[in-house]
């Protein structure tokens, strides 16, 4: 890999950089040491100066005592002159014991001059007073010698000394920097530049064609080691390049393989981030569920569902995800289109990075809508089969009772008639036996007819004969069939036909069977002294029949199944009377067979109202115009 030749001009030289560092460090260190030594020297000189002043004063002490005792002015003047020869002493004063001044001299200073340097250490004065004793009589004070010393000379000379020391130090630092720069240039920079020139022409993208630096080209062992390391590095790069090419090729084939599998598979692949938002989903998902990727990315699994996600099922999934556990076959519904619900099954497991940090979940998904529909159909068929089996059992139990009772009567009375002494019985007794046999046979015939009727209706084999039927007449006929039972229970039956014409075109036998079954049930379940009301009214092209009674009524939980075939006593007390329990079933089936509808309303203790709505004109419309004209 080549390096631009202009780049070296913008890079600092090792030798120059090292020399600058040495100069800066040496300067700071030299300044610190030089100034420190100068300050210490200043304070040492000042201390020596004051100490010398004290010694000079002590040397003149004996002479000063003689001058005070003899009061000799000339001797005192000589003492002052002698002390002022010391440059540090700026004033001398000699007094007797009464304080009278014998001599007082002060140094005269030349006019002060401006200096190039600041006054870092101003002059300091030091006062010294000696008590003088009489030489002839020691211990008796005869006067005092007062001397004042100053460091003015040191303060004048010390900055010059400091300047000289700093200049000498700067010269030494410059010489040291030049020597270090030469050494660094000769033994560091030049070999490094030689190595840089050798490596500048290397090409890491094509290491096999790159020239390698030879270790023998360098004079120093350390640089030979660097060159040898570079050669080893280039060999490693060559090997890594080959491995990288193989890895890239294998990675491409692996990615292509995964992409092909993901595209042709009916299942899909998904991945979420650490916050649960979907970060990847394969194309099979969008094809299967008719969803765009933009509608899914960034949303959590719960947000893609059309279900209530506050249910225990979803709370369990959230617990599994929070515990970073794997899950399988989690099923939920997705609304692929408005009103179209699909069921999916997903599997997922957490994944982590190299440091073991949780990154998210990834897994697979599949459309299991058909499985759900098959399971629902299977369950529904199973429920229907169980219901049919239960209905069959109830029917057989009912039929066994309903057939056994009249058969027992027929067999019993027939046996009595077959006895040898039957001829001796009275005619009335024989008539009773014959009537019982006839009544039992008639009851069995009614049972068989009901069973055949409901079977024919359910099988769609009932034959209709459309004809003109008078509603008032059909009501009168049906009421006459139950009138005897109603009078025995003191039940009042009223009729109301509210229409201009009471004619309709329908199957008279079916209408008679519907009304007779409804009236029989009303009489059967209405207590003594009750009332039954029969209504018929026109509603456009339909006739509404309604039978209302004041009977025991039916609870709301039993209304939905009251008209199921073969429903009987243990299930519905409303039909827990004599019969097959097919009456309401026949009514509902006949109403639907005639193109109408059936509805029942009831409350316990408030009676029951059964409504049958039939078309006024059946399939044969040849007489419809005559009826409309009559209205």
């Amino acid at each position: 890999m080549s390096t631009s030749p202009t780049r070296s001009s913008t890079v600092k030289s090792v030798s120059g950089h090292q020399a600058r560092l040495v100069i800066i460090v040496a300067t700071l260190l030299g300044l610190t040491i030089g100034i420190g030594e100068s300050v210490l020297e200043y304070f040492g000189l000042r201390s020596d100066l004051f100490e010398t002043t004290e010694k000079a004063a002590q040397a003149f002490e004996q002479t000063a005592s003689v001058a005070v005792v003899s009061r000799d002015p000339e001797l005192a003047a000589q003492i002052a002159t002698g002390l002022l020869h010391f440059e540090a002493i700026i004033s001398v004063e000699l007094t007797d014991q009464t304080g009278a001044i014998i001599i007082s001299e002060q140094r005269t200073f030349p006019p002060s001059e401006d200096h190039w340097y600041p006054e870092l250490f101003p002059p300091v004065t030091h006062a010294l007073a000696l008590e003088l004793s009489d030489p002839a009589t020691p211990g008796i004070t005869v006067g005092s010698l007062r001397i004042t010393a100053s460091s003015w000379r040191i303060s004048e000379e010390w900055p010059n000394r400091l300047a000289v020391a700093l200049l000498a130090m700067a010269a030494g630092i410059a010489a040291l920097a030049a020597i270090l720069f030469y050494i660094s240039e000769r033994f560091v920079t030049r070999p490094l530049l030689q190595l840089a020139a050798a490596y500048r022409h290397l090409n890491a993208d094509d290491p096999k064609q790159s020239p390698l630096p030879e270790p023998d080209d360098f004079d120093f062992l350390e640089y030979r080691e660097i060159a040898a390391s570079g050669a080893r590095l280039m060999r490693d790069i060559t090997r890594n390049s080959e491995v990288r090419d193989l890895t890239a090729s294998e990675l491409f084939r692996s990615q292509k393989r995964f992409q092909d599998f993901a595209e042709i598979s009916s299942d899909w692949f998904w991945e979420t981030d650490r916050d649960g938002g979907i970060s990847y989903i394969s194309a099979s998902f969008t094809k299967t569920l008719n969803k765009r990727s933009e509608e899914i990315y960034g949303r959590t699994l719960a947000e893609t569902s059309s279900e209530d996600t506050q249910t225990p099922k979803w709370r369990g999934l959230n617990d599994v995800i929070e515990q970073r556990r794997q899950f399988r076959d989690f099923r939920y519904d997705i609304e692929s289109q408005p009103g179209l619900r699909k069921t999916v099954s997903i599997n997922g497991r957490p994944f982590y990075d190299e440091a073991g940090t949780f990154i998210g979940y990834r897994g697979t998904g599949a459309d299991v809508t058909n499985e759900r529909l098959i399971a629902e159909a299977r369950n529904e068929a199973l429920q229907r089969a169980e219901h049919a089996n239960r209905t069959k059992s109830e029917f057989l139990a009912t039929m066994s009772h309903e057939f056994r009772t009249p058969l027992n009567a027929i067999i019993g009375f027939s046996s009595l008639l077959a006895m040898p002494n039957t001829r001796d019985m009275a005619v009335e007794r024989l008539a009773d036996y014959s009537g019982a046999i006839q009544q039992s046979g008639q009851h069995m015939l009614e049972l068989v007819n009901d069973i055949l009727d409901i079977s024919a209706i359910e099988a769609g084999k009932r034959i209709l004969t459309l004809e003109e039927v008078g509603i008032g007449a059909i009501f009168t006929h049906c009421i006459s069939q139950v009138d005897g039972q109603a009078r025995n229970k003191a039940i009042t039956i009223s009729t109301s036909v509210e229409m201009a014409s009471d004619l309709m075109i329908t199957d008279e036998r079916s209408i008679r069977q519907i009304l007779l079954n409804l009236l029989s049930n009303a009489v059967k379940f209405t207590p003594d002294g009750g009332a039954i009301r029969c209504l018929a009214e026109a509603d456009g092209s339909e006739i509404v029949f309604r039978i209302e009674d004041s009977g025991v009524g039916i609870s709301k939980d039993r209304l939905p199944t009251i008209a199921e075939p073969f429903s009987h006593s243990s299930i519905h007390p409303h039909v827990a009377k004599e019969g097959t329990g097919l009456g309401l079933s026949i009514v509902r089936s006949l109403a639907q067979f005639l193109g109408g509808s059936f509805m029942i309303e009831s409350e316990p203790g408030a009676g029951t109202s059964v409504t049958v709505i039939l078309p006024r004109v059946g399939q044969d419309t040849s007489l419809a115009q005559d009826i409309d004209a009559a209205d």
Side-chain angles (χ1 to χ4, degrees):
M1 181 174 59
S2 62
T3 304
S4 175
T6 59
R7 180 174 176 82
S8 61
S9 62
T10 62
V11 180
K12 296 179 180 179
S13 170
V14 175
S15 301
H17 187 61
Q18 186 175 10
R20 282 193 294 272
L21 290 177
V22 170
I23 291 173
I24 292 172
V25 173
T27 301
L28 293 176
L29 185 61
L31 286 174
T32 302
I33 295 174
I35 293 175
E37 288 181 349
S38 298
V39 171
L40 292 177
E41 181 184 5
Y42 169 78
F43 285 104
L45 290 173
R46 194 176 69 179
S47 178
D48 292 343
L49 179 65
F50 292 150
E51 185 178 349
T52 302
T53 302
E54 291 180 0
K55 290 180 179 180
Q58 291 173 358
F60 281 92
E61 181 179 3
Q62 187 70 27
T63 306
S65 299
V66 174
V68 171
V69 171
S70 61
R71 300 188 68 82
D72 185 352
E74 293 181 1
L75 180 59
Q78 292 177 358
I79 293 172
T81 301
L83 287 173
L84 289 176
H85 277 295
F86 293 95
E87 290 184 341
I89 297 175
I90 60 174
S91 67
V92 177
E93 183 180 77
L94 185 63
T95 61
D96 59 15
Q97 60 184 357
T98 62
I101 298 174
I102 299 174
I103 186 76
S104 177
E105 295 286 344
Q106 290 185 352
R107 182 183 299 279
T108 300
F109 293 98
S112 60
E113 299 177 359
D114 294 333
H115 300 286
W116 60 270
Y117 52 83
E119 191 176 18
L120 298 177
F121 296 99
V124 177
T125 58
H126 176 66
L128 178 64
L130 295 179
E131 298 293 333
L132 302 177
S133 300
D134 186 356
T137 310
I140 297 176
T141 300
V142 295
S144 63
L145 177 62
R146 293 182 177 85
I147 299 174
T148 301
S150 174
S151 62
W152 66 275
R153 177 60 69 183
I154 297 175
S155 297
E156 289 279 341
E157 296 177 354
W158 179 79
N160 294 328
R161 294 184 182 182
L162 177 60
V164 171
L166 291 178
L167 289 175
M169 179 189 66
I173 290 174
L176 177 63
I179 294 172
L180 290 177
F181 182 82
Y182 173 78
I183 294 174
S184 177
E185 174 69 19
R186 175 66 179 83
F187 299 106
V188 177
T189 304
R190 289 182 185 178
L192 287 178
L193 290 176
Q194 187 178 1
L195 281 172
Y199 283 108
R200 187 176 296 121
H201 301 288
L202 296 179
N203 186 0
D205 296 332
D206 189 10
K208 295 181 180 180
Q209 302 299 325
S210 299
L212 300 176
E214 294 294 336
D216 294 338
D217 294 341
F218 303 98
D219 297 331
F220 300 101
L221 178 62
E222 291 80 2
Y223 298 116
R224 290 189 177 188
E225 289 293 334
I226 295 175
S229 298
R232 288 193 296 270
L233 177 62
M234 291 305 298
R235 288 194 295 270
D236 292 340
I237 292 175
T238 302
R239 287 193 296 267
N240 292 337
S241 177
E242 295 173 353
V243 173
R244 181 189 61 190
D245 294 340
L246 292 175
T247 303
S249 177
E250 182 61 29
L251 179 61
F252 173 78
R253 288 195 296 270
S254 177
Q255 290 177 340
K256 191 66 173 64
R257 186 185 307 118
F258 173 79
Q259 183 179 1
D260 292 341
F261 287 156
E263 289 179 355
I264 65 176
S265 174
S266 59
D267 295 354
W268 59 82
F269 304 97
W270 56 269
E271 186 173 285
T272 68
D273 54 26
R274 58 171 51 91
D275 297 324
I278 295 176
S279 57
Y280 168 78
I281 196 160
S282 60
S284 299
F285 176 85
T286 58
K287 294 178 182 178
T288 304
L289 297 180
N290 195 27
K291 292 280 188 179
R292 298 193 307 272
S293 301
E294 295 77 9
E295 300 179 44
I296 303 300
Y297 284 138
R299 302 172 65 184
T300 63
L301 294 175
E303 291 172 345
T304 64
S305 173
S306 59
E307 300 178 350
D308 179 11
T309 56
Q310 300 303 317
T311 59
K313 178 180 77 172
W314 282 98
R315 287 197 293 269
L317 177 65
N318 291 335
D319 292 340
V320 169
I321 293 177
E322 288 178 359
Q323 296 169 11
R324 307 293 186 250
R325 293 190 287 121
Q326 181 175 334
F327 60 87
R328 280 186 170 277
D329 195 25
F330 180 79
R331 300 193 174 198
Y332 65 96
D333 293 338
I334 292 179
E335 187 176 17
S336 59
Q337 295 178 7
L340 180 59
R341 176 173 61 96
K342 287 199 173 186
T343 302
V344 299
S345 171
I346 60 173
N347 311 304
R349 65 180 302 175
F351 66 100
Y352 305 85
D353 60 13
E354 295 80 0
T357 303
F358 171 73
I359 297 179
Y361 266 82
R362 59 166 61 111
T364 61
D367 182 7
V368 293
T369 305
N370 291 335
E371 294 182 20
R372 173 179 61 81
L373 295 176
I374 292 172
E376 290 176 352
R378 182 175 63 249
N379 293 336
E380 184 179 354
L382 180 60
Q383 290 176 0
R384 286 198 302 268
E386 291 176 350
H387 177 70
N389 185 59
R390 185 168 57 253
T391 303
K392 180 196 69 174
S393 300
E394 295 170 358
F395 170 72
L396 292 176
T398 302
M399 290 301 99
S400 64
H401 171 74
E402 296 296 339
F403 277 107
R404 188 180 294 115
T405 300
L407 282 175
N408 286 337
I410 292 172
I411 293 171
F413 289 121
S414 299
S415 299
L416 291 176
L417 292 176
M419 294 178 63
N421 57 354
T422 303
R423 297 175 182 177
D424 300 334
M425 292 183 181
V427 176
E428 292 81 2
R429 179 68 59 84
L430 292 176
D432 289 341
Y433 289 169
S434 299
I437 292 173
Q438 192 272 337
Q439 185 177 3
S440 297
Q442 185 66 34
H443 179 64
M444 288 188 64
L445 179 61
E446 292 177 359
L447 293 177
V448 172
N449 286 336
D450 284 347
I451 294 172
L452 293 177
D453 283 341
I454 192 66
S455 298
I457 295 170
E458 292 292 334
K461 296 183 179 180
R462 176 72 175 254
I463 298 176
L464 299 179
T465 301
L466 299 179
E467 56 185 326
E468 190 178 87
V469 178
I471 298 174
I474 201 73
F475 263 137
T476 301
H477 172 75
C478 292
I479 291 173
S480 66
Q481 299 296 312
V482 297
D483 187 58
Q485 299 176 18
R487 283 199 304 270
N488 292 335
K489 299 176 66 175
I491 297 174
T492 302
I493 301 177
S494 61
T495 305
S496 175
V497 179
E498 300 177 358
M499 60 188 73
S501 173
D502 67 346
L503 296 178
M504 65 181 299
I505 297 175
T506 186
D507 181 56
E508 182 178 358
R509 175 168 167 260
S510 297
I511 290 292
R512 184 183 297 113
Q513 197 170 358
I514 289 172
L515 296 177
L516 191 57
N517 273 301
L518 293 179
L519 286 169
S520 298
N521 271 355
V523 172
K524 192 182 299 182
F525 294 100
T526 300
D528 295 351
I532 298 174
R533 186 183 179 194
C534 304
L535 301 175
E537 57 184 358
D539 184 9
S541 61
E542 296 177 332
I543 303 296
V544 179
F545 296 93
R546 183 175 296 109
I547 307 297
E548 300 175 350
D549 64 57
S550 58
V552 296
I554 308 169
S555 61
K556 290 183 178 180
D557 60 330
R558 294 181 178 182
L559 281 176
T561 59
I562 191 66
E564 293 294 327
F566 311 121
S567 296
H568 210 263
S569 60
S570 62
I571 300 177
H572 294 292
H574 188 69
V575 293
K577 301 291 183 179
E578 180 180 340
T580 60
L582 294 173
L584 291 178
S585 299
I586 292 174
V587 171
R588 184 182 67 176
S589 299
L590 283 174
Q592 294 173 350
F593 195 66
L594 292 173
S597 60
F598 166 86
M599 181 174 61
I600 183 168
E601 299 174 346
S602 182
E603 290 185 9
T608 302
S609 173
V610 181
T611 303
V612 176
I613 303 176
L614 297 175
R616 189 167 186 178
V617 178
Q619 294 180 357
D620 188 357
T621 60
S622 60
L623 299 178
Q625 295 177 352
D626 296 338
I627 296 175
D628 293 337
D631 285 340

